[in-house]
Amino acid sequence: NDRIGIGFIGVGSRGMSHVNTVKRVIAGGEAAQIVAVNDAYSYRREEAAKQCGAKVYTRHRELLADPAVDVVCIATPDRLHVPQALDAIRAGKDVYCEKPMGHWSQFKLSKQFVEETRRLNRVVQIGNQGNSSPAWKKVNELIQKGAIGRVQHVEAGFYRDGDWGERMPISDPEAKPGVEIDWEAFLGDAPKVPFSVQRFFSWRKYLDYAGGPCTDLFPHVLTPFVSALGLKSPSLAVASGGIFKYTTYDREVPDTFNLCLDYPEKLSIMLVCTLSNGYHTEPAIRGDEGTLTLQNPAEWASGFDSITLWPRKGEKKVVPGGRLDATYAHWQNFLNCVRTREKPVSDVEFGLHVQTALNMGLLAFLNKKVAQFDSGMKEITL
């Protein structure tokens, strides 16, 4: 039977978005079936099961023990990604793991995830769907052809007017741990604290479970550049910012964040973010023979309208960009690789390079120090 059985661990807003994407992929002819769902919140898992006719599991390890499940999609809070993914590959499953690959405090565990994925010969796709966008392949082609010489500087940002990404809706203010919510499953290896509906439903506000713009928004921005430029891990990171706008509630993660990454290839990537203003500026890739700018990358993963080449000598040239449903394409790539056992476009090793940069940035910010990466020892130092 070549029909791939898919299980979903985490069916909140992002998890259900994946459910709906997979439904469309299946409707498009993919031989697959959604067979199982799991979530720490009983209402979410029951509603998801109704929508896709899947079996309900109260614990993710029970779902992983189901022989009908061939692959799993993990769309839980950041802190649970790597532990659940490790459980999945050890259970013989292939994995689509949402970004960020792991929590900012779990670097050793993230490295273990890479090592065990190789050892167990599993297929893992990290949800950096920008890698499935044809528009970014055009950027790579221009760079590889030497259109702007040797790249030395990248400047980009993520801008949003609002804190809705962190102050997520409270689905049920009266929800209680126990039958309704598995609080212990939600906490995972995080500090053991009393149950709070704020922490459970609006977890992106808290450093125990998330990292703010650095780990939530910058994966969208950084990933395509790392891929297009063929980079691995940075050598140095410095960061600044803070809670400058949303100071009236129990927010722990910054709403303004600036990150500078230096790479061994002798280039710097500068990323900036504010959640107080949605005005966008054009990303720029600067080489010693010219510059590439990207027009209207409002939705980073889908692509952008066009690429403008500004050569040091000669006339500018505009290349059409393009947009598509990159998450749909990312799932198609993943399921195809499940069958062929090839590496997906955002495999776990690539995911670790991106995660290393993000971890370095947040650790530098939280400790007010410079973060460095020892490529020999594969360790982050402050």
Side-chain angles (χ1 to χ4, degrees):
N1 187 349
D2 67 351
R3 187 175 298 276
I4 298 172
I6 304 173
F8 285 85
I9 301 174
V11 284
S13 60
R14 186 57 180 161
M16 284 307 299
S17 176
H18 281 301
V19 167
N20 292 326
T21 297
V22 168
K23 282 182 177 180
R24 290 190 290 113
V25 172
I26 293 171
E30 181 68 55
Q33 181 180 1
I34 299 173
V35 297
V37 296
N38 158 259
D39 196 280
Y41 182 31
S42 62
Y43 176 79
R44 282 199 296 241
R45 61 178 180 256
E46 296 292 342
E47 287 299 306
K50 288 178 188 176
Q51 292 187 36
C52 51
K55 190 171 182 179
V56 175
Y57 287 99
T58 57
R59 295 296 181 99
H60 79 275
R61 287 189 179 89
E62 295 171 354
L63 180 148
L64 294 175
D66 186 339
V69 175
D70 301 304
V71 307
V72 295
C73 172
I74 297 172
T76 46
D78 301 359
R79 187 123 199 172
L80 301 176
H81 288 181
V82 172
Q84 291 175 341
L86 279 167
D87 287 342
I89 62 173
R90 290 166 182 166
K93 316 299 182 183
D94 295 326
V95 176
Y96 185 113
C97 179
E98 251 305 330
K99 63 81 192 166
M101 189 173 92
H103 188 258
W104 57 267
S105 68
Q106 295 173 324
F107 187 60
K108 288 184 179 179
L109 206 59
S110 295
K111 291 192 296 181
Q112 185 179 344
F113 181 23
V114 174
E115 293 163 2
E116 293 207 31
T117 298
R118 289 179 188 148
R119 180 176 62 83
L120 297 170
N121 194 31
R122 303 320 311 168
V123 172
V124 173
Q125 177 90 294
I126 305 302
N128 297 317
Q129 62 267 23
N131 276 17
S132 289
S133 169
W136 282 100
K137 292 178 183 176
K138 294 182 181 181
V139 175
N140 175 267
E141 289 168 2
L142 286 167
I143 291 169
Q144 294 305 314
K145 289 177 181 177
I148 58 173
R150 189 179 76 79
V151 176
Q152 295 177 24
H153 192 271
V154 175
E155 179 184 352
F158 197 112
Y159 312 99
R160 176 183 289 168
D161 188 1
D163 64 342
W164 48 266
E166 295 79 23
R167 190 156 50 167
M168 292 137 60
I170 308 298
S171 302
D172 181 3
E174 304 302 321
K176 299 290 189 296
V179 175
E180 291 179 292
I181 291 175
D182 189 337
W183 181 238
E184 291 302 315
F186 167 80
L187 288 176
D189 67 353
K192 306 306 178 188
V193 297
F195 172 76
S196 158
V197 291
Q198 288 288 337
R199 282 180 172 265
F200 183 78
F201 289 108
S202 205
W203 53 268
R204 282 199 180 96
K205 296 189 297 182
Y206 304 99
L207 287 167
D208 281 347
Y209 323 114
C214 182
T215 56
D216 185 40
L217 301 180
F218 281 176
H220 297 299
V221 186
L222 177 62
T223 295
F225 291 115
V226 172
S227 182
L229 296 170
L231 302 175
K232 293 187 178 180
S233 298
S235 53
L236 179 148
V238 292
S240 66
I243 305 172
F244 297 166
K245 169 77 171 177
Y246 302 104
T247 60
T248 59
Y249 61 90
D250 59 339
R251 182 189 183 98
E252 295 179 357
V253 299
D255 57 33
T256 301
F257 200 81
N258 311 295
L259 174 62
C260 176
L261 300 166
D262 285 352
Y263 281 83
E265 292 82 358
K266 297 188 181 302
L267 67 90
S268 290
I269 295 181
M270 299 287 296
L271 305 178
V272 296
C273 175
T274 178
L275 303 182
S276 65
N277 188 306
Y279 176 77
H280 290 263
T281 57
E282 292 184 351
I285 306 172
R286 297 180 174 90
D288 53 12
E289 296 296 332
T291 302
L292 295 177
T293 58
L294 312 178
Q295 283 66 57
N296 195 24
E299 295 295 334
W300 278 92
S302 65
F304 35 81
D305 291 344
S306 58
I307 308 165
T308 301
L309 167 60
W310 305 86
R312 177 166 285 183
K313 297 178 181 179
E315 298 294 321
K316 77 173 184 179
K317 179 181 179 181
V318 179
V319 179
R323 298 178 183 278
L324 53 60
D325 184 341
T327 303
Y328 185 99
H330 217 47
W331 267 100
Q332 286 183 312
N333 172 257
F334 171 57
L335 293 174
N336 180 63
C337 291
V338 168
R339 290 192 167 89
T340 65
R341 311 314 292 172
E342 296 175 342
K343 275 189 176 184
V345 294
S346 187
D347 72 301
V348 68
E349 192 167 346
F350 175 87
L352 182 62
H353 294 321
V354 174
Q355 190 65 34
T356 301
L358 303 178
N359 284 13
M360 289 171 66
L362 197 58
L363 288 169
F365 169 76
L366 293 174
N367 291 279
K368 301 188 186 309
K369 292 184 177 181
V370 174
Q372 298 185 69
F373 184 67
D374 185 327
S375 59
M377 297 296 293
K378 292 183 169 40
E379 295 291 345
I380 297 172
T381 60
L382 296 170

